[in-house]
Amino acid sequence: MSKKALFYKSVIWQVIGMIWISLFSYLWFGSWIRSLGFTIVVVIVSIFAYVLYEMLWDKFTKNKKF
């Protein structure tokens, strides 16, 4: 998988997660503004963490059979 495709895949996954994070953080904070701010930070960090995870996974499992 190319890095570009990997990035787009992670963005789509994060949009799905963003909906859930927004709803649950709204219940926690009681404010949509705080909830959305928190959600944006979590999504940005998660995208890059996911891409890094996938790159490391590929690197360490490239020639291994499970």
Side-chain angles (χ1 to χ4, degrees):
M1 178 181 305
S2 72
K3 290 180 182 179
K4 188 175 180 180
L6 178 62
F7 181 77
Y8 290 132
K9 180 182 169 186
S10 67
V11 169
I12 292 167
W13 176 250
Q14 289 304 317
V15 168
I16 295 166
M18 188 171 82
I19 294 167
W20 288 107
I21 293 167
S22 295
L23 292 172
F24 288 122
S25 62
Y26 173 73
L27 294 173
W28 181 264
F29 292 120
S31 164
W32 281 111
I33 299 297
R34 291 181 77 191
S35 172
L36 292 176
F38 176 77
T39 301
I40 289 168
V41 170
V42 169
V43 166
I44 290 169
V45 170
S46 295
I47 288 170
F48 289 102
Y50 178 76
V51 170
L52 179 61
Y53 166 78
E54 287 285 345
M55 290 168 57
L56 289 171
W57 181 269
D58 284 344
K59 181 179 179 178
F60 290 111
T61 62
K62 194 167 198 156
N63 293 321
K64 295 181 182 181
K65 295 184 180 189
F66 289 98

